[in-house]
Amino acid sequence: GPSRNMARIISTNRDLTRRLADAQPTDQHYQLFKSYVTSRHDDGQMARMDRDDFNSMISNSPIETMLIDYHDQNQQLGGSVLAVMQQDGLSAVYSFFDPTESRRSLGTYMIIDLIRCAAELDLPWLYLGYYVAQSQKMRYKARFKPAEVFRDGAWHVFDESADT
């Protein structure tokens, strides 16, 4: 079962509702995205994206993308994941969440919930995208087990000691 820490995160967020929607971003999505990227002191391209850039990142995809939204009881959008439904799994492309709600650990919670969501849809896998052991920003992905890594053209069972 989930670790004590993950169980605490699940319970902290039990007031959130998940909603799967077409990838049609609203003002609420854009505001949340802006506060997310600016809170990360990100001087990169993300922080400079305007509403049009954001819309095309979300909507102009050649693949079938959707937004998975998490709202609290006041219908406040707390977090959102741009995801792709594949034949054998759900693929998380990009996620953003309310930076002021750090006690919720929304980044972790949304992954836990995407695992549940994939299971409800009878999809065996959740893809979290690239994993670079040296990257602090990607290190969180290693906490979700069991996992596999695609390396040298094949999937391997993930072993953290071998992959750092």
Side-chain angles (χ1 to χ4, degrees):
S3 69
R4 265 215 308 273
N5 176 42
M6 288 194 185
R8 181 189 58 75
I9 293 171
I10 291 168
S11 133
T12 305
N13 290 289
R14 60 177 178 267
D15 61 321
L16 297 182
T17 346
R18 175 206 318 146
R19 195 157 65 219
L20 278 62
D22 290 334
Q24 295 299 326
T26 62
D27 283 339
Q28 219 184 3
H29 286 112
Y30 181 62
Q31 296 310 327
L32 186 65
F33 166 78
K34 280 311 263 191
S35 59
Y36 174 77
V37 287
T38 49
S39 76
R40 307 227 139 187
H41 314 293
D42 185 7
D43 50 1
Q45 292 169 314
M46 287 298 209
R48 290 195 298 272
M49 286 172 74
D50 64 18
R51 180 69 203 257
D52 287 341
D53 299 329
F54 177 71
N55 286 2
S56 51
M57 172 178 96
I58 302 288
S59 311
N60 294 356
S61 168
I63 41 185
E64 199 50 50
T65 52
M66 62 183 171
L67 280 167
I68 302 177
D69 293 334
Y70 294 88
H71 289 90
D72 67 13
Q73 279 139 327
N74 308 320
Q75 290 313 302
Q76 271 302 108
L77 182 64
S80 213
V81 184
L82 179 64
V84 180
M85 189 89 74
Q86 293 175 262
Q87 272 177 323
D88 64 343
L90 202 53
S91 185
V93 180
Y94 185 73
S95 63
F96 50 99
F97 47 87
D98 186 343
T100 63
E101 290 278 347
S102 55
R103 61 172 193 92
R104 284 186 181 271
S105 304
L106 281 163
T108 301
Y109 174 71
M110 292 193 298
I111 294 174
I112 295 170
D113 192 68
L114 287 175
I115 293 171
R116 288 186 192 159
C117 184
E120 288 165 21
L121 296 165
D122 281 327
L123 297 168
W125 294 101
L126 172 67
Y127 295 102
L128 294 179
Y130 293 108
Y131 174 72
V132 178
Q134 290 72 25
S135 159
Q136 265 322 115
K137 278 187 178 165
M138 294 191 183
R139 194 66 60 75
Y140 72 91
K141 297 178 182 183
R143 297 209 310 271
F144 300 91
K145 308 268 182 7
E148 295 188 7
V149 195
F150 193 74
R151 200 179 38 235
D152 307 326
W155 286 99
H156 304 269
V157 172
F158 177 71
D159 167 9
E160 215 167 342
S161 53
D163 280 282
T164 45

